Amino acid sequence: MSTESKELGHDDSSGFEFAKELLAGDVTAGINFDRIMKNPMEGYQIIEYLLCDEKQPHVNPYTSHPRKYWDRNKNKFLALWRTKLDFDATLYLVNYAKRGTTHDNKVLLIEVLDMDETGILEERQTRFSRRGFSMWLREKNRQCLSDTDAILRDIYEKKSLEELGGIVLKRGKYQGKSLMELGSTAEGRDYLSYHYQQPGYQYHTAVECFLRKMKGGKA
């Protein structure tokens, strides 16, 4: 479990207000994600929370569904679905009510399996109590916690050998040398093999990925 993450604080609405101000009334092309995280085994997961307004007496989290207001908000859901496809992610929609209201103990999880311009075509629904959904979400969150090295490894694995080779060390005995320069000599390769095994060293994860790509296998 990562010790480098932090608990959620209060929502920061300043970014939304800033964008709204500078768009000066233009229709926005963006959507705000409520939650996106990466499970190391299952990939990216997108969670969108859908608040059920207590002012609508005949609607609650178990009975509300995007199909009932599709024409008013379809671009949001289509954009979420497009992002899901781009990220090869799992898309979850979560119906909930504010704490202290009549239906606050009802939470509906909708895993969207297919969608087109007419609405959600296929889905998987699970009804939760508030506590039950909390347990589900906490477990999902726990599975997705990553330390810095895991995040960096994902980033550096996306780089080519040439891109990694262009990284220049900024500290230590070989300060100013690129990974490719060091990888071209036996002495340099010995140092890189030592470097990537030192968790406190800057670029140690990049070096690990570089050596792996250079050897075509494990560093």
Side-chain angles (χ1 to χ4, degrees):
M1 181 179 294
S2 173
T3 58
E4 300 171 25
S5 298
K6 62 181 182 179
E7 295 180 6
L8 287 177
H10 295 294
D11 289 342
D12 180 5
S13 61
S14 60
F16 173 80
E17 294 300 330
F18 179 66
K20 183 178 178 181
E21 172 198 342
L22 296 191
L23 282 172
D26 292 350
V27 175
T28 181
I31 56 172
N32 294 322
F33 289 104
D34 285 326
R35 189 172 188 85
I36 183 168
M37 51 192 182
K38 186 177 183 182
N39 184 298
M41 301 299 294
E42 300 172 8
Y44 283 101
Q45 299 175 343
I46 300 169
I47 300 178
E48 181 70 12
Y49 299 116
L50 306 174
L51 176 63
C52 292
D53 193 341
E54 64 269 29
K55 295 178 182 178
Q56 297 177 289
H58 302 297
V59 177
N60 67 68
Y62 287 169
T63 62
S64 181
H65 194 279
R67 73 170 69 91
K68 295 183 177 180
Y69 50 93
W70 181 257
D71 288 341
R72 299 198 310 272
N73 217 4
K74 66 180 179 181
N75 279 357
K76 171 184 177 177
F77 293 112
L78 290 171
L80 283 167
W81 185 248
R82 178 176 62 180
T83 305
K84 170 260 188 292
L85 296 175
D86 287 344
F87 277 74
D88 192 21
T90 302
L91 174 60
Y92 295 107
L93 306 177
V94 180
N95 287 348
Y96 75 103
K98 289 182 180 179
R99 181 178 290 279
T101 61
T102 304
H103 300 292
D104 68 351
N105 202 37
K106 297 176 181 178
V107 179
L108 179 66
L109 177 71
I110 303 172
E111 180 183 350
V112 183
L113 303 176
D114 196 13
M115 183 189 296
D116 69 12
E117 63 192 88
T118 65
I120 296 174
L121 302 177
E122 187 178 355
E123 64 191 73
R124 185 180 294 118
Q125 291 191 9
T126 307
R127 290 187 175 190
F128 288 99
S129 65
R130 204 175 190 89
R131 181 176 181 275
F133 181 72
S134 172
M135 294 173 63
W136 179 90
L137 182 61
R138 292 181 70 187
E139 176 59 20
K140 284 289 185 183
N141 184 71
R142 185 194 65 76
Q143 294 171 1
C144 294
L145 287 172
S146 300
D147 60 21
T148 302
D149 282 349
I151 296 171
L152 287 174
R153 190 168 290 109
D154 282 349
I155 292 171
Y156 289 129
E157 284 292 351
K158 299 293 190 298
K159 291 183 177 290
S160 67
L161 176 64
E162 290 71 24
E163 289 172 323
L164 289 168
I167 293 174
V168 175
L169 297 182
K170 297 179 173 62
R171 301 174 182 170
K173 177 181 178 181
Y174 292 101
Q175 179 179 348
K177 295 286 187 181
S178 71
L179 302 192
M180 193 66 78
E181 287 179 274
L182 292 171
S184 66
T185 67
E187 178 184 350
R189 289 191 295 274
D190 286 344
Y191 173 75
L192 291 178
S193 295
Y194 166 79
H195 184 105
Y196 93 82
Q197 298 178 64
Q198 310 307 312
Y201 281 21
Q202 187 179 67
Y203 288 131
H204 84 96
T205 308
V207 170
E208 176 188 356
C209 294
F210 172 74
L211 288 175
R212 184 184 302 115
K213 288 179 182 286
M214 190 171 68
K215 295 178 181 180
K218 292 185 178 180

